[in-house]
C-alpha cells in the first residue's frame, strides 16, 4: 500500500485540519468533536443544514459546506458513521432558530446515529427534521443498509435543499424539497478497481485485472454482477438501463445528468462516458437541461464511475442554478 499519510489512525483528523486551513474563508473546523461548520454560522432565522458520514468520499460532505449548500458536515472515520456527539455539536453550531435539517445517506450506522443526535437536539429545544437519501437502484439491501443505498444523488439533494434554505424557506419546506429531489433521483455505479482503506492496508475486495463490478456501492459493497472488460459505451448502457426503467424516465422528461468519478477515474474518461449517456437520453426524447461531471462523491482511490439522473421541473432548475460557494461547488456568486 502506498498512501500519503502519517499515522493511519489520524488520517481523518489531519485531513480535516488541512481542509480547514485551506478554506478558512469558507469554514471553521472543530476537532473535539470533529465537525466542519460554515464560517458565518449560525445565521439567525435561516434553516441550518447538516450532513455527514464516513470519510473517504471527499469532497462529500465537508467540501459542500458554505453559502447555498450545507451549514455543517460531520466526518466519521473512513467508511464509518460519525457518532452522535459530533452530529449534535454540528446541529447546535448551525441552529439559527429556524430548525435544522439532517441529510442522511441510507446506511444503518448513519441513520441510527443521526436519529440519536436529533433526539438529543430536541431535548435542547432544537427542531430537527431528517431526510434519508436512497437513490441507488443497484441493490435493495447491502452489507451496510436496509433498503437502497444513498449515493451520488445526495450531492443534488444537498445543493437544492441548501439553495432553498438560503432563500428563506421554512424547515418543512426545505425538508419537503429535499425529499422531492431524492424521490426523483436515481443512481448506479461501477468499479474497475478496489480501494484501500488506510487502517486496513489492503484492497477492500478482490477484482481481477479483466473484471468490472456493476452496481458497486461507495464502500466497495458488492453490486449486481461482475463482467469482463467492455467498451465504455456498453458500460454506460449497463448503468443507464436500470436507472431509466426504475423511476421511470421517459420521453418529454427534463433531467440533470450527473456523471461522477469514484476517486481514481480521470476526467477524460468521465466526459467520454457523459457523451454516451447524453446520446442515449436524447435518442429517447429526454432533455438534458443541466449537467455535472467530475469526482464529487468518491470511494478513496477507486477507479470507476456512477451515473445519476434527476428529473427536473422549473423550481428545481432555479434552485440548482442558484448561487453556491463551497470548496467543491461554486458558481453565481
Amino acid at each position: 500500500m502506498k498512501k500519503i499519510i502519517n499515522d493511519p489512525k489520524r488520517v481523518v483528523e489531519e485531513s480535516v485540519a488541512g481542509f480547514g486551513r485551506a478554506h478558512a474563508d469558507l469554514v471553521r473546523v472543530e476537532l473535539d468533536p470533529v465537525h466542519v461548520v460554515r464560517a458565518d454560522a449560525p445565521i439567525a432565522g435561516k434553516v441550518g443544514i447538516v450532513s455527514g458520514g464516513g470519510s473517504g468520499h471527499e469532497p462529500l460532505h465537508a467540501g459542500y459546506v458554505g453559502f447555498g449548500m450545507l451549514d455543517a458536515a460531520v466526518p466519521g472515520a473512513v467508511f464509518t458513521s460519525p457518532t452522535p456527539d459530533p452530529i449534535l455539536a454540528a446541529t447546535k453550531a448551525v441552529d439559527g432558530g429556524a430548525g435544522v435539517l439532517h441529510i442522511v445517506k441510507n446506511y444503518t450506522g448513519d441513520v441510527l446515529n443521526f436519529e440519536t443526535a436529533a433526539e438529543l437536539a430536541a431535548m435542547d429545544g432544537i427542531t430537527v427534521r431528517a431526510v434519508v437519501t436512497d437513490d441507488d437502484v443497484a441493490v435493495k439491501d447491502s452489507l451496510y443498509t436496509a433498503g437502497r443505498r444513498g449515493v451520488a444523488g445526495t450531492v443534488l439533494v444537498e445543493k437544492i435543499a441548501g439553495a432553498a434554505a438560503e432563500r428563506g424557506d421554512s424547515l418543512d419546506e426545505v425538508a419537503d424539497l429535499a425529499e422531492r429531489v431524492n424521490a426523483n433521483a436515481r443512481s448506479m455505479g461501477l468499479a474497475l478497481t478496489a480501494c484501500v482503506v488506510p487502517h486496513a492496508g489492503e484492497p477492500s475486495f478482490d477484482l481481477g485485472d479483466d473484471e468490472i463490478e456493476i452496481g458497486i456501492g461507495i464502500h466497495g459493497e458488492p453490486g449486481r454482477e461482475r463482467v469482463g472488460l467492455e467498451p465504455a459505451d456498453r458500460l454506460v448502457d449497463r448503468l443507464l438501463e436500470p436507472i431509466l426503467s426504475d423511476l421511470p424516465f421517459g420521453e418529454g422528461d427534463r433531467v440533470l445528468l450527473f456523471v461522477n468519478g469514484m476517486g481514481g477515474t480521470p476526467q477524460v474518461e468521465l466526459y467520454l462516458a457523459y457523451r454516451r449517456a447524453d446520446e442515449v437520453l436524447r435518442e429517447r426524447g429526454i432533455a438534458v437541461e443541466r449537467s455535472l461531471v467530475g469526482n464529487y462523491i468518491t470511494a478513496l482511490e477507486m477507479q470507476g464511475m456512477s451515473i445519476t439522473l434527476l428529473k427536473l421541473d422549473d423550481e428545481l432548475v432555479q434552485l440548482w442554478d442558484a448561487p453556491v460557494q463551497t470548496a467543491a461547488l461554486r458558481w453565481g456568486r
Side-chain angles (χ1 to χ4, degrees):
M1 178 187 73
K2 293 180 181 178
K3 286 188 177 292
I4 302 173
I5 62 174
N6 297 307
D7 182 349
K9 296 178 181 178
R10 300 192 63 207
V11 166
V12 173
E13 178 184 339
E14 293 181 347
S15 177
V16 172
F19 179 84
R21 293 187 183 205
H23 302 290
D25 58 324
L26 299 174
V27 303
R28 64 179 188 267
V29 167
E30 303 292 342
L31 294 177
D32 187 21
V34 176
H35 58 288
V36 179
V37 183
R38 179 172 159 173
D40 55 355
I43 300 170
K46 176 188 172 299
V47 172
I49 302 183
V50 178
S51 193
S55 295
H57 306 304
E58 289 74 21
L60 195 79
H61 293 274
Y64 303 125
V65 174
F67 181 92
M69 213 158 172
L70 297 180
D71 292 275
V74 190
V78 174
F79 292 177
T80 303
S81 171
T83 59
D85 285 350
I87 300 170
L88 177 61
T91 302
K92 289 181 175 180
V94 305
D95 175 36
V100 176
L101 176 67
H102 287 173
I103 297 175
V104 188
K105 300 189 303 301
N106 188 32
Y107 297 94
T108 302
D110 288 20
V111 171
L112 291 175
N113 289 342
F114 270 88
E115 283 179 351
T116 299
E119 292 169 0
L120 295 171
M123 294 172 63
D124 287 332
I126 302 173
T127 302
V128 177
R129 277 196 62 178
V131 171
V132 177
T133 62
D134 58 356
D135 53 300
D136 189 1
V137 305
V139 292
K140 179 180 178 183
D141 299 298
S142 76
L143 299 175
Y144 291 75
T145 66
R148 291 180 167 183
R149 302 174 291 214
V151 288
T154 307
V155 177
L156 311 185
V157 172
E158 292 178 353
K159 169 62 181 80
I160 289 172
E166 205 70 60
R167 75 180 178 184
D169 286 17
S170 70
L171 176 59
D172 285 343
E173 289 169 335
V174 175
D176 290 348
L177 261 170
E179 289 176 345
R180 190 164 113 216
V181 175
N182 181 63
N184 284 283
R186 297 293 187 274
S187 302
M188 190 164 170
L190 61 81
L192 308 181
T193 65
C195 57
V196 177
V197 176
H199 62 262
E202 59 185 26
S204 54
F205 60 95
D206 295 321
L207 193 60
D209 290 342
D210 60 348
E211 291 181 319
I212 295 172
E213 184 85 18
I214 305 294
I216 198 74
I218 56 174
H219 305 96
E221 309 100 304
R224 285 188 173 188
E225 61 180 327
R226 189 165 290 191
V227 302
L229 286 172
E230 293 181 333
D233 286 2
R234 177 58 187 141
L235 294 175
V236 170
D237 291 349
R238 283 186 180 273
L239 297 184
L240 273 180
E241 287 164 7
I243 290 172
L244 290 168
S245 63
D246 192 90
L247 189 58
F249 294 86
E251 185 175 357
D253 282 340
R254 307 157 62 194
V255 300
L256 185 157
L257 170 57
F258 176 18
V259 176
N260 174 68
M262 300 302 289
T265 307
Q267 203 85 349
V268 64
E269 295 177 21
L270 297 179
Y271 278 112
L272 190 155
Y274 183 93
R275 174 205 56 83
R276 173 58 179 171
D278 180 80
E279 182 179 76
V280 170
L281 294 174
R282 293 181 189 279
E283 287 173 355
R284 297 195 181 206
I286 297 171
V288 179
E289 293 195 0
R290 295 295 183 273
S291 63
L292 188 65
V293 182
N295 289 276
Y296 290 102
I297 172 171
T298 63
L300 295 169
E301 78 277 35
M302 180 187 287
Q303 289 184 313
M305 68 175 178
S306 64
I307 294 176
T308 300
L309 288 184
L310 170 63
K311 189 176 291 190
L312 295 171
D313 57 36
D314 287 344
E315 183 179 29
L316 296 186
V317 170
Q318 179 186 32
L319 290 167
W320 177 258
D321 289 346
V324 60
Q325 186 174 8
T326 69
L329 277 186
R330 53 177 70 196
W331 57 69
R333 190 168 189 246

